[in-house]
Amino acid sequence: MPVAVVVGTQWGDEGKAKVIDLLAETHSHVVRYQGGHNAGHTVVVGDQKYALQLIPSGVLYNHVTPVIGNGVVVDLPTLFKEIDSLESRGISCSRLMVSSLAQLIFPWHQLLDALHESKLGDAKIGTTLKGIGPAYADKALRVGLRVGMVRDIPAFAQLVRERATAAREMLVALGGESFDVEAMVTQFTELGTRLQPYVADTVNALHKAIEAGNNVLLEGAQATFLDLDHGTYPFVTSSNPTAGGACAGTGIGPRHISRVVGIAKAYTTRVGSGPFPTELIGELGDKIVDIGHEFGTVTGRRRRPGWLDLVMLRHAVRINSLTEIALTKLDILDTFDEVRVCVGYLLNGKPLDGYPDDSQLLGEVTPTYVDLPGWKQEIRACRTYDQLPARAQAIVELVEKHVGVPVSIIGVGPERDACVVRA
Ligand code: GDP
Ligand code: IMO
Ligand code: MG
C-alpha cells in the first residue's frame, strides 16, 4: 500500500512542508488535499528558502508530480503568482495538475471573510482573511464554481457574472463594499484561460499512479486542532485537515493508506484566537518566538507560544490513526534550562480523562507537567539518534511512552538534511 499522509497534530506550522520535502524523494506524486492559500509551507534547500501556499511541497523535485486535489479551494491570482515565482527561480511547474473538482475562491469570498470577522469584534476567529470559510460555505451550499468549469470559457464567464452579481447584492445588504462585476468577469476569464492546461482528472491520474506501483504522498495543510469537526470550534478552519480529509480530498480510499505521519513541534504554537492550555505568556514565550522565528508565513502575525501538549498529541494519534510522529524544531529548545511537557489536564482540581469534547473546557483546564532538564548544547549537527544528548533523547522517549507511537523523524534545523531519521 503505497500511500502516505502527512498531517499537522497541533494548530499548524509544525514543519509539515519540511517533512514532506524530505519524504518526497521516494514519492512520485505529492497531493494537497484541503485548505487553500491560508497555508504557509516553508522548504529550505541549501541557502534557498521557498514559502509555498498552494503548490504542493514536493514541487522542488523533478521526479515529483505536484497535484492540487479536489478538496482544495483554489485562489487563482495566488496560484499564478506562485507558479511565476517558482519558475523565475528555475523550478518548473509544468507537471502541476489541478483537480477539475476543486473549488475556486473569488474576491467576494475574501470580502465576506473580512466582513464576518469585523462583525464578530472581540469574538473574531482571527482568520487569514483569504476567503477560505466563505468559499467552503459556497461549496456546501452547492453554489461554488469548480476548476473544471474553465474548460468552457464563455459558460464560465457567465457563471462568474451570475455569482459575482449575487455576492455583490449580499455584501452590500450586509453593509460591505460593492465591486465592479464586469472587471471581475474579465479578470477571471483571463485567469481561467491560463488555468486550462493544468486542469486534470486527478482522481483517475492518482489511481493509475498507484496501480502502476508508485508511492503517493498526501500533504495536509493546517492541523488536527484546526479541523472543522475535531478542532477547537469555532476557532478552526473550514476544512478537514485530519487524515480522513485526505481520502475525501483526493478520492483515494482509506485502504490504500499505509503510513500516517503526524508532525508535532517540540513545543506548541497557535495563530489567531481560541483556547490554548499550555500557552506561555511572558519571557519564556518570547524566547520561543524569538529563537523559533514564530511569525506567520502568510500573515506575518506573531504566533502564540506554549509547551508541548501530549494530551493533544495522544488525541491526534487517535483521530488520524498516526503510525508515527515527526518531532520538529527540537533545536529551538537548545538553550532552555528546563523543558516542560504537558501530560494531563486538571479541571476544578480533578484529572480529566483525556482530551475534552468541549473546547470551552480547554480554556479552563490546568495542565500538569513533567519537567525535564535542558540539554544546553547545540544539536543542529546531529544526524543520528546516538548523537543527540541524553537529555534531548528523554523528551523523545517521553513522547513515545505517552502517545504510543514511535518518533521516526527529529528536526534539528530548517534545512532539508537537518534531521535525524530513525530506522
Ligand atoms: P508548516 O506550515 O507546517 O509547513 O510549517 P511552516 O513552514 O509554516 O513553519 C515551520 C518553520 O520552521 C519554517 O520556517 C521551517 O523552515 C522551520 N523548520 C521546520 N523544521 C525545523 C526544525 O527542525 N528546526 C528548525 N530550527 N526549523 C525548522
Ligand atoms: P499551515 O498549513 C496556522 C488559522 C488561522 C485562524 C484559523 C481560521 O501553514 O499550518 P482560515 O483563514 O483558515 O479561515 O483561519 O486557522 N490557520 C492557520 N494557522 N497555520 C496554518 O496553515 C493555518 N491556516 C489557517 O490563523 O486561526
Ligand atoms: Mg505554515
Side-chain angles (χ1 to χ4, degrees), residues 11-14 16 38-41 113 125-133 220-223 226 235-238 270-273 297-298 301 303:
W11 281 293
D13 306 321
E14 297 92 348
K16 296 177 289 293
N38 48 348
H41 291 180
D113 200 349
I125 294 162
T127 75
T128 58
L129 302 177
K130 302 295 182 192
I132 305 296
Q222 290 82 54
L226 288 173
F235 303 105
V236 294
T237 193
S238 300
R270 160 162 223 174
V271 204
S273 323
T297 342
V298 176
R301 287 179 293 175
R303 296 174 183 149

PDB file of all heavy atoms in Angstrom, residues 11-14 16 38-41 113 125-133 220-223 226 235-238 270-273 297-298 301 303, ligand 2:
ATOM      1  N   TRP A  11      -1.727  23.175  16.018  1.00  0.00           N
ATOM      2  CA  TRP A  11      -2.557  24.219  15.393  1.00  0.00           C
ATOM      3  C   TRP A  11      -1.873  24.787  14.147  1.00  0.00           C
ATOM      4  O   TRP A  11      -2.042  25.956  13.824  1.00  0.00           O
ATOM      5  CB  TRP A  11      -2.835  25.343  16.390  1.00  0.00           C
ATOM      6  CG  TRP A  11      -3.912  25.025  17.385  1.00  0.00           C
ATOM      7  CD1 TRP A  11      -5.246  24.847  17.120  1.00  0.00           C
ATOM      8  CD2 TRP A  11      -3.767  24.880  18.803  1.00  0.00           C
ATOM      9  NE1 TRP A  11      -5.925  24.597  18.283  1.00  0.00           N
ATOM     10  CE2 TRP A  11      -5.059  24.612  19.332  1.00  0.00           C
ATOM     11  CE3 TRP A  11      -2.684  24.951  19.674  1.00  0.00           C
ATOM     12  CZ2 TRP A  11      -5.284  24.423  20.689  1.00  0.00           C
ATOM     13  CZ3 TRP A  11      -2.907  24.759  21.024  1.00  0.00           C
ATOM     14  CH2 TRP A  11      -4.191  24.502  21.527  1.00  0.00           C
ATOM     15  N   GLY A  12      -1.088  23.986  13.469  1.00  0.00           N
ATOM     16  CA  GLY A  12      -0.466  24.450  12.233  1.00  0.00           C
ATOM     17  C   GLY A  12       0.979  24.868  12.428  1.00  0.00           C
ATOM     18  O   GLY A  12       1.474  24.994  13.558  1.00  0.00           O
ATOM     19  N   ASP A  13       1.693  25.006  11.292  1.00  0.00           N
ATOM     20  CA  ASP A  13       3.082  25.478  11.278  1.00  0.00           C
ATOM     21  C   ASP A  13       4.026  24.576  12.057  1.00  0.00           C
ATOM     22  O   ASP A  13       5.003  25.029  12.662  1.00  0.00           O
ATOM     23  CB  ASP A  13       3.175  26.924  11.823  1.00  0.00           C
ATOM     24  CG  ASP A  13       2.243  27.851  11.070  1.00  0.00           C
ATOM     25  OD1 ASP A  13       2.136  27.696   9.840  1.00  0.00           O
ATOM     26  OD2 ASP A  13       1.632  28.725  11.698  1.00  0.00           O
ATOM     27  N   GLU A  14       3.757  23.298  12.029  1.00  0.00           N
ATOM     28  CA  GLU A  14       4.584  22.336  12.772  1.00  0.00           C
ATOM     29  C   GLU A  14       5.867  21.986  12.023  1.00  0.00           C
ATOM     30  O   GLU A  14       6.743  21.306  12.577  1.00  0.00           O
ATOM     31  CB  GLU A  14       3.798  21.039  13.017  1.00  0.00           C
ATOM     32  CG  GLU A  14       2.549  21.179  13.883  1.00  0.00           C
ATOM     33  CD  GLU A  14       1.290  21.426  13.070  1.00  0.00           C
ATOM     34  OE1 GLU A  14       1.422  21.708  11.854  1.00  0.00           O
ATOM     35  OE2 GLU A  14       0.195  21.343  13.634  1.00  0.00           O
ATOM     36  N   LYS A  16       5.404  20.850   8.603  1.00  0.00           N
ATOM     37  CA  LYS A  16       4.900  19.810   7.689  1.00  0.00           C
ATOM     38  C   LYS A  16       5.663  19.823   6.371  1.00  0.00           C
ATOM     39  O   LYS A  16       6.068  18.778   5.856  1.00  0.00           O
ATOM     40  CB  LYS A  16       3.401  20.021   7.397  1.00  0.00           C
ATOM     41  CG  LYS A  16       2.509  19.880   8.615  1.00  0.00           C
ATOM     42  CD  LYS A  16       1.060  20.176   8.292  1.00  0.00           C
ATOM     43  CE  LYS A  16       0.738  21.617   8.005  1.00  0.00           C
ATOM     44  NZ  LYS A  16       0.870  22.550   9.125  1.00  0.00           N
ATOM     45  N   ASN A  38      -4.433  29.812   2.704  1.00  0.00           N
ATOM     46  CA  ASN A  38      -4.238  30.110   4.133  1.00  0.00           C
ATOM     47  C   ASN A  38      -2.994  29.384   4.654  1.00  0.00           C
ATOM     48  O   ASN A  38      -2.431  29.755   5.677  1.00  0.00           O
ATOM     49  CB  ASN A  38      -5.476  29.720   4.962  1.00  0.00           C
ATOM     50  CG  ASN A  38      -6.007  28.324   4.679  1.00  0.00           C
ATOM     51  OD1 ASN A  38      -5.619  27.679   3.706  1.00  0.00           O
ATOM     52  ND2 ASN A  38      -6.915  27.851   5.501  1.00  0.00           N
ATOM     53  N   ALA A  39      -2.575  28.338   3.957  1.00  0.00           N
ATOM     54  CA  ALA A  39      -1.372  27.594   4.357  1.00  0.00           C
ATOM     55  C   ALA A  39      -0.113  28.387   4.004  1.00  0.00           C
ATOM     56  O   ALA A  39      -0.085  29.115   3.016  1.00  0.00           O
ATOM     57  CB  ALA A  39      -1.336  26.251   3.643  1.00  0.00           C
ATOM     58  N   GLY A  40       0.926  28.208   4.827  1.00  0.00           N
ATOM     59  CA  GLY A  40       2.241  28.775   4.514  1.00  0.00           C
ATOM     60  C   GLY A  40       3.244  27.682   4.800  1.00  0.00           C
ATOM     61  O   GLY A  40       3.482  27.337   5.957  1.00  0.00           O
ATOM     62  N   HIS A  41       3.768  27.058   3.762  1.00  0.00           N
ATOM     63  CA  HIS A  41       4.630  25.880   3.915  1.00  0.00           C
ATOM     64  C   HIS A  41       6.047  26.230   3.460  1.00  0.00           C
ATOM     65  O   HIS A  41       6.258  26.587   2.302  1.00  0.00           O
ATOM     66  CB  HIS A  41       4.056  24.716   3.085  1.00  0.00           C
ATOM     67  CG  HIS A  41       2.763  24.186   3.644  1.00  0.00           C
ATOM     68  ND1 HIS A  41       2.063  23.155   3.089  1.00  0.00           N
ATOM     69  CD2 HIS A  41       2.057  24.556   4.754  1.00  0.00           C
ATOM     70  CE1 HIS A  41       0.984  22.913   3.823  1.00  0.00           C
ATOM     71  NE2 HIS A  41       0.955  23.761   4.822  1.00  0.00           N
ATOM     72  N   ASP A 113     -15.190  37.224   4.157  1.00  0.00           N
ATOM     73  CA  ASP A 113     -14.358  36.779   5.284  1.00  0.00           C
ATOM     74  C   ASP A 113     -14.072  37.985   6.195  1.00  0.00           C
ATOM     75  O   ASP A 113     -14.281  37.932   7.421  1.00  0.00           O
ATOM     76  CB  ASP A 113     -13.045  36.197   4.717  1.00  0.00           C
ATOM     77  CG  ASP A 113     -12.309  35.275   5.679  1.00  0.00           C
ATOM     78  OD1 ASP A 113     -12.679  35.223   6.854  1.00  0.00           O
ATOM     79  OD2 ASP A 113     -11.346  34.608   5.235  1.00  0.00           O
ATOM     80  N   ILE A 125     -12.436  35.108  14.879  1.00  0.00           N
ATOM     81  CA  ILE A 125     -11.668  33.860  14.805  1.00  0.00           C
ATOM     82  C   ILE A 125     -10.183  34.157  14.590  1.00  0.00           C
ATOM     83  O   ILE A 125      -9.323  33.405  15.019  1.00  0.00           O
ATOM     84  CB  ILE A 125     -12.232  32.984  13.655  1.00  0.00           C
ATOM     85  CG1 ILE A 125     -13.658  32.551  14.003  1.00  0.00           C
ATOM     86  CG2 ILE A 125     -11.352  31.764  13.374  1.00  0.00           C
ATOM     87  CD1 ILE A 125     -14.469  32.072  12.831  1.00  0.00           C
ATOM     88  N   GLY A 126      -9.920  35.286  13.948  1.00  0.00           N
ATOM     89  CA  GLY A 126      -8.526  35.585  13.579  1.00  0.00           C
ATOM     90  C   GLY A 126      -8.139  34.801  12.337  1.00  0.00           C
ATOM     91  O   GLY A 126      -7.063  34.220  12.276  1.00  0.00           O
ATOM     92  N   THR A 127      -9.045  34.776  11.341  1.00  0.00           N
ATOM     93  CA  THR A 127      -8.761  34.036  10.100  1.00  0.00           C
ATOM     94  C   THR A 127      -7.627  34.719   9.337  1.00  0.00           C
ATOM     95  O   THR A 127      -7.218  35.842   9.669  1.00  0.00           O
ATOM     96  CB  THR A 127      -9.989  33.960   9.163  1.00  0.00           C
ATOM     97  OG1 THR A 127     -10.178  35.236   8.541  1.00  0.00           O
ATOM     98  CG2 THR A 127     -11.253  33.536   9.894  1.00  0.00           C
ATOM     99  N   THR A 128      -7.177  34.039   8.302  1.00  0.00           N
ATOM    100  CA  THR A 128      -6.126  34.607   7.457  1.00  0.00           C
ATOM    101  C   THR A 128      -6.715  35.607   6.453  1.00  0.00           C
ATOM    102  O   THR A 128      -5.971  36.184   5.668  1.00  0.00           O
ATOM    103  CB  THR A 128      -5.411  33.499   6.682  1.00  0.00           C
ATOM    104  OG1 THR A 128      -6.384  32.799   5.893  1.00  0.00           O
ATOM    105  CG2 THR A 128      -4.717  32.510   7.616  1.00  0.00           C
ATOM    106  N   LEU A 129      -8.023  35.780   6.446  1.00  0.00           N
ATOM    107  CA  LEU A 129      -8.747  36.689   5.538  1.00  0.00           C
ATOM    108  C   LEU A 129      -8.560  36.313   4.062  1.00  0.00           C
ATOM    109  O   LEU A 129      -8.621  37.168   3.190  1.00  0.00           O
ATOM    110  CB  LEU A 129      -8.330  38.158   5.785  1.00  0.00           C
ATOM    111  CG  LEU A 129      -8.542  38.683   7.202  1.00  0.00           C
ATOM    112  CD1 LEU A 129      -8.015  40.115   7.339  1.00  0.00           C
ATOM    113  CD2 LEU A 129     -10.044  38.668   7.586  1.00  0.00           C
ATOM    114  N   LYS A 130      -8.335  35.042   3.817  1.00  0.00           N
ATOM    115  CA  LYS A 130      -8.129  34.588   2.428  1.00  0.00           C
ATOM    116  C   LYS A 130      -9.423  34.109   1.777  1.00  0.00           C
ATOM    117  O   LYS A 130      -9.402  33.597   0.662  1.00  0.00           O
ATOM    118  CB  LYS A 130      -7.094  33.442   2.388  1.00  0.00           C
ATOM    119  CG  LYS A 130      -5.730  33.798   2.961  1.00  0.00           C
ATOM    120  CD  LYS A 130      -5.062  34.859   2.127  1.00  0.00           C
ATOM    121  CE  LYS A 130      -3.688  35.179   2.672  1.00  0.00           C
ATOM    122  NZ  LYS A 130      -3.105  36.387   2.074  1.00  0.00           N
ATOM    123  N   GLY A 131     -10.534  34.188   2.489  1.00  0.00           N
ATOM    124  CA  GLY A 131     -11.815  33.778   1.895  1.00  0.00           C
ATOM    125  C   GLY A 131     -12.080  32.288   1.998  1.00  0.00           C
ATOM    126  O   GLY A 131     -12.967  31.758   1.317  1.00  0.00           O
ATOM    127  N   ILE A 132     -11.325  31.606   2.874  1.00  0.00           N
ATOM    128  CA  ILE A 132     -11.428  30.142   2.961  1.00  0.00           C
ATOM    129  C   ILE A 132     -12.824  29.715   3.437  1.00  0.00           C
ATOM    130  O   ILE A 132     -13.477  28.876   2.803  1.00  0.00           O
ATOM    131  CB  ILE A 132     -10.333  29.590   3.918  1.00  0.00           C
ATOM    132  CG1 ILE A 132      -8.929  30.044   3.477  1.00  0.00           C
ATOM    133  CG2 ILE A 132     -10.444  28.074   4.060  1.00  0.00           C
ATOM    134  CD1 ILE A 132      -8.451  29.543   2.146  1.00  0.00           C
ATOM    135  N   GLY A 133     -13.283  30.285   4.554  1.00  0.00           N
ATOM    136  CA  GLY A 133     -14.590  29.908   5.113  1.00  0.00           C
ATOM    137  C   GLY A 133     -15.719  30.155   4.108  1.00  0.00           C
ATOM    138  O   GLY A 133     -16.496  29.242   3.800  1.00  0.00           O
ATOM    139  N   GLY A 220      -1.121  17.409   4.085  1.00  0.00           N
ATOM    140  CA  GLY A 220      -2.108  18.179   4.839  1.00  0.00           C
ATOM    141  C   GLY A 220      -1.660  19.613   5.025  1.00  0.00           C
ATOM    142  O   GLY A 220      -0.479  19.899   5.178  1.00  0.00           O
ATOM    143  N   ALA A 221      -2.638  20.517   5.024  1.00  0.00           N
ATOM    144  CA  ALA A 221      -2.390  21.894   5.447  1.00  0.00           C
ATOM    145  C   ALA A 221      -3.125  22.067   6.773  1.00  0.00           C
ATOM    146  O   ALA A 221      -3.901  21.205   7.172  1.00  0.00           O
ATOM    147  CB  ALA A 221      -2.922  22.870   4.410  1.00  0.00           C
ATOM    148  N   GLN A 222      -2.870  23.164   7.472  1.00  0.00           N
ATOM    149  CA  GLN A 222      -3.434  23.399   8.810  1.00  0.00           C
ATOM    150  C   GLN A 222      -3.148  22.186   9.712  1.00  0.00           C
ATOM    151  O   GLN A 222      -2.102  21.592   9.550  1.00  0.00           O
ATOM    152  CB  GLN A 222      -4.941  23.727   8.727  1.00  0.00           C
ATOM    153  CG  GLN A 222      -5.235  25.084   8.114  1.00  0.00           C
ATOM    154  CD  GLN A 222      -5.211  25.086   6.609  1.00  0.00           C
ATOM    155  OE1 GLN A 222      -5.893  24.305   5.968  1.00  0.00           O
ATOM    156  NE2 GLN A 222      -4.444  25.969   6.001  1.00  0.00           N
ATOM    157  N   ALA A 223      -4.112  21.787  10.539  1.00  0.00           N
ATOM    158  CA  ALA A 223      -3.753  20.758  11.519  1.00  0.00           C
ATOM    159  C   ALA A 223      -4.976  20.195  12.232  1.00  0.00           C
ATOM    160  O   ALA A 223      -6.086  20.715  12.086  1.00  0.00           O
ATOM    161  CB  ALA A 223      -2.795  21.359  12.547  1.00  0.00           C
ATOM    162  N   LEU A 226      -7.201  22.473  14.182  1.00  0.00           N
ATOM    163  CA  LEU A 226      -7.889  23.482  13.364  1.00  0.00           C
ATOM    164  C   LEU A 226      -8.949  22.800  12.506  1.00  0.00           C
ATOM    165  O   LEU A 226      -9.581  23.428  11.658  1.00  0.00           O
ATOM    166  CB  LEU A 226      -6.881  24.222  12.462  1.00  0.00           C
ATOM    167  CG  LEU A 226      -5.928  25.206  13.152  1.00  0.00           C
ATOM    168  CD1 LEU A 226      -4.891  25.727  12.159  1.00  0.00           C
ATOM    169  CD2 LEU A 226      -6.707  26.378  13.762  1.00  0.00           C
ATOM    170  N   PHE A 235     -12.984  28.191  16.667  1.00  0.00           N
ATOM    171  CA  PHE A 235     -11.670  28.758  16.305  1.00  0.00           C
ATOM    172  C   PHE A 235     -10.888  27.736  15.484  1.00  0.00           C
ATOM    173  O   PHE A 235      -9.871  27.195  15.938  1.00  0.00           O
ATOM    174  CB  PHE A 235     -10.928  29.208  17.564  1.00  0.00           C
ATOM    175  CG  PHE A 235     -11.730  30.209  18.358  1.00  0.00           C
ATOM    176  CD1 PHE A 235     -12.369  29.847  19.536  1.00  0.00           C
ATOM    177  CD2 PHE A 235     -11.888  31.510  17.887  1.00  0.00           C
ATOM    178  CE1 PHE A 235     -13.139  30.750  20.246  1.00  0.00           C
ATOM    179  CE2 PHE A 235     -12.653  32.426  18.586  1.00  0.00           C
ATOM    180  CZ  PHE A 235     -13.277  32.047  19.765  1.00  0.00           C
ATOM    181  N   VAL A 236     -11.390  27.458  14.311  1.00  0.00           N
ATOM    182  CA  VAL A 236     -10.858  26.412  13.436  1.00  0.00           C
ATOM    183  C   VAL A 236     -10.878  26.919  12.000  1.00  0.00           C
ATOM    184  O   VAL A 236     -11.379  28.006  11.724  1.00  0.00           O
ATOM    185  CB  VAL A 236     -11.722  25.127  13.542  1.00  0.00           C
ATOM    186  CG1 VAL A 236     -11.618  24.505  14.930  1.00  0.00           C
ATOM    187  CG2 VAL A 236     -13.188  25.413  13.188  1.00  0.00           C
ATOM    188  N   THR A 237     -10.374  26.096  11.098  1.00  0.00           N
ATOM    189  CA  THR A 237     -10.517  26.427   9.677  1.00  0.00           C
ATOM    190  C   THR A 237     -11.762  25.705   9.150  1.00  0.00           C
ATOM    191  O   THR A 237     -12.450  25.000   9.899  1.00  0.00           O
ATOM    192  CB  THR A 237      -9.228  26.079   8.894  1.00  0.00           C
ATOM    193  OG1 THR A 237      -9.318  26.690   7.594  1.00  0.00           O
ATOM    194  CG2 THR A 237      -9.012  24.569   8.759  1.00  0.00           C
ATOM    195  N   SER A 238     -12.064  25.855   7.865  1.00  0.00           N
ATOM    196  CA  SER A 238     -13.347  25.358   7.354  1.00  0.00           C
ATOM    197  C   SER A 238     -13.214  24.065   6.558  1.00  0.00           C
ATOM    198  O   SER A 238     -14.067  23.768   5.722  1.00  0.00           O
ATOM    199  CB  SER A 238     -14.002  26.450   6.510  1.00  0.00           C
ATOM    200  OG  SER A 238     -14.215  27.578   7.304  1.00  0.00           O
ATOM    201  N   ARG A 270       0.236  28.670  18.074  1.00  0.00           N
ATOM    202  CA  ARG A 270      -1.102  28.867  17.507  1.00  0.00           C
ATOM    203  C   ARG A 270      -1.187  30.295  16.992  1.00  0.00           C
ATOM    204  O   ARG A 270      -0.708  31.217  17.670  1.00  0.00           O
ATOM    205  CB  ARG A 270      -2.116  28.586  18.620  1.00  0.00           C
ATOM    206  CG  ARG A 270      -3.477  29.150  18.418  1.00  0.00           C
ATOM    207  CD  ARG A 270      -4.570  28.537  19.266  1.00  0.00           C
ATOM    208  NE  ARG A 270      -5.685  28.387  18.350  1.00  0.00           N
ATOM    209  CZ  ARG A 270      -6.833  27.795  18.611  1.00  0.00           C
ATOM    210  NH1 ARG A 270      -7.049  27.265  19.771  1.00  0.00           N
ATOM    211  NH2 ARG A 270      -7.766  27.720  17.697  1.00  0.00           N
ATOM    212  N   VAL A 271      -1.782  30.494  15.819  1.00  0.00           N
ATOM    213  CA  VAL A 271      -2.040  31.851  15.295  1.00  0.00           C
ATOM    214  C   VAL A 271      -3.543  32.070  15.341  1.00  0.00           C
ATOM    215  O   VAL A 271      -4.302  31.172  15.005  1.00  0.00           O
ATOM    216  CB  VAL A 271      -1.612  32.014  13.816  1.00  0.00           C
ATOM    217  CG1 VAL A 271      -1.325  33.476  13.494  1.00  0.00           C
ATOM    218  CG2 VAL A 271      -0.434  31.149  13.463  1.00  0.00           C
ATOM    219  N   GLY A 272      -3.972  33.268  15.725  1.00  0.00           N
ATOM    220  CA  GLY A 272      -5.411  33.529  15.796  1.00  0.00           C
ATOM    221  C   GLY A 272      -5.948  33.201  17.178  1.00  0.00           C
ATOM    222  O   GLY A 272      -5.200  32.823  18.082  1.00  0.00           O
ATOM    223  N   SER A 273      -7.272  33.329  17.322  1.00  0.00           N
ATOM    224  CA  SER A 273      -7.894  33.195  18.648  1.00  0.00           C
ATOM    225  C   SER A 273      -8.163  31.742  18.999  1.00  0.00           C
ATOM    226  O   SER A 273      -8.028  30.862  18.169  1.00  0.00           O
ATOM    227  CB  SER A 273      -9.221  33.956  18.673  1.00  0.00           C
ATOM    228  OG  SER A 273      -9.155  35.142  17.938  1.00  0.00           O
ATOM    229  N   THR A 297       3.955  32.818   8.077  1.00  0.00           N
ATOM    230  CA  THR A 297       4.484  32.990   6.722  1.00  0.00           C
ATOM    231  C   THR A 297       3.478  33.746   5.858  1.00  0.00           C
ATOM    232  O   THR A 297       3.856  34.503   4.969  1.00  0.00           O
ATOM    233  CB  THR A 297       4.675  31.596   6.049  1.00  0.00           C
ATOM    234  OG1 THR A 297       4.677  30.581   7.042  1.00  0.00           O
ATOM    235  CG2 THR A 297       5.934  31.533   5.244  1.00  0.00           C
ATOM    236  N   VAL A 298       2.191  33.555   6.123  1.00  0.00           N
ATOM    237  CA  VAL A 298       1.158  34.136   5.256  1.00  0.00           C
ATOM    238  C   VAL A 298       0.774  35.532   5.719  1.00  0.00           C
ATOM    239  O   VAL A 298       0.675  36.465   4.932  1.00  0.00           O
ATOM    240  CB  VAL A 298      -0.102  33.216   5.242  1.00  0.00           C
ATOM    241  CG1 VAL A 298      -1.230  33.844   4.438  1.00  0.00           C
ATOM    242  CG2 VAL A 298       0.265  31.859   4.664  1.00  0.00           C
ATOM    243  N   ARG A 301       1.755  37.448  11.292  1.00  0.00           N
ATOM    244  CA  ARG A 301       1.345  37.605  12.698  1.00  0.00           C
ATOM    245  C   ARG A 301       2.255  36.805  13.628  1.00  0.00           C
ATOM    246  O   ARG A 301       2.733  35.729  13.272  1.00  0.00           O
ATOM    247  CB  ARG A 301      -0.089  37.093  12.891  1.00  0.00           C
ATOM    248  CG  ARG A 301      -1.130  38.008  12.295  1.00  0.00           C
ATOM    249  CD  ARG A 301      -2.531  37.443  12.504  1.00  0.00           C
ATOM    250  NE  ARG A 301      -2.754  36.231  11.750  1.00  0.00           N
ATOM    251  CZ  ARG A 301      -3.860  35.487  11.819  1.00  0.00           C
ATOM    252  NH1 ARG A 301      -4.828  35.837  12.646  1.00  0.00           N
ATOM    253  NH2 ARG A 301      -4.007  34.402  11.090  1.00  0.00           N
ATOM    254  N   ARG A 303       3.101  34.241  16.303  1.00  0.00           N
ATOM    255  CA  ARG A 303       2.412  33.031  16.742  1.00  0.00           C
ATOM    256  C   ARG A 303       2.445  32.976  18.265  1.00  0.00           C
ATOM    257  O   ARG A 303       3.440  33.349  18.878  1.00  0.00           O
ATOM    258  CB  ARG A 303       3.089  31.791  16.156  1.00  0.00           C
ATOM    259  CG  ARG A 303       3.007  31.741  14.627  1.00  0.00           C
ATOM    260  CD  ARG A 303       3.809  30.582  14.053  1.00  0.00           C
ATOM    261  NE  ARG A 303       3.792  30.573  12.598  1.00  0.00           N
ATOM    262  CZ  ARG A 303       4.795  30.111  11.831  1.00  0.00           C
ATOM    263  NH1 ARG A 303       5.896  29.632  12.392  1.00  0.00           N
ATOM    264  NH2 ARG A 303       4.691  30.134  10.523  1.00  0.00           N
TER     265      ARG A 303
HETATM  266  P1  IMO B   2      -0.306  25.774   7.737  1.00  0.00           P
HETATM  267  O1  IMO B   2      -0.719  24.813   6.652  1.00  0.00           O
HETATM  268  C1  IMO B   2      -1.507  28.095  11.243  1.00  0.00           C
HETATM  269  C2  IMO B   2      -5.676  29.508  11.325  1.00  0.00           C
HETATM  270  C3  IMO B   2      -5.916  30.994  11.280  1.00  0.00           C
HETATM  271  C4  IMO B   2      -7.192  31.073  12.105  1.00  0.00           C
HETATM  272  C5  IMO B   2      -7.950  29.817  11.699  1.00  0.00           C
HETATM  273  C6  IMO B   2      -9.007  30.026  10.612  1.00  0.00           C
HETATM  274  O2  IMO B   2       0.773  26.713   7.343  1.00  0.00           O
HETATM  275  O3  IMO B   2      -0.041  25.048   9.019  1.00  0.00           O
HETATM  276  P2  IMO B   2      -8.842  30.461   7.989  1.00  0.00           P
HETATM  277  O4  IMO B   2      -8.197  31.581   7.209  1.00  0.00           O
HETATM  278  O5  IMO B   2      -8.335  29.115   7.641  1.00  0.00           O
HETATM  279  O6  IMO B   2     -10.347  30.538   7.943  1.00  0.00           O
HETATM  280  O7  IMO B   2      -8.433  30.758   9.525  1.00  0.00           O
HETATM  281  O8  IMO B   2      -6.959  28.917  11.215  1.00  0.00           O
HETATM  282  N1  IMO B   2      -4.845  28.966  10.214  1.00  0.00           N
HETATM  283  C7  IMO B   2      -3.575  28.563  10.359  1.00  0.00           C
HETATM  284  N2  IMO B   2      -2.743  28.616  11.417  1.00  0.00           N
HETATM  285  N3  IMO B   2      -1.092  27.514  10.090  1.00  0.00           N
HETATM  286  C8  IMO B   2      -1.931  27.427   9.026  1.00  0.00           C
HETATM  287  O9  IMO B   2      -1.608  26.717   7.921  1.00  0.00           O
HETATM  288  C9  IMO B   2      -3.215  27.998   9.111  1.00  0.00           C
HETATM  289  N4  IMO B   2      -4.251  28.117   8.255  1.00  0.00           N
HETATM  290  C10 IMO B   2      -5.248  28.689   8.945  1.00  0.00           C
HETATM  291  O10 IMO B   2      -4.852  31.701  11.868  1.00  0.00           O
HETATM  292  O11 IMO B   2      -6.880  30.942  13.481  1.00  0.00           O
END
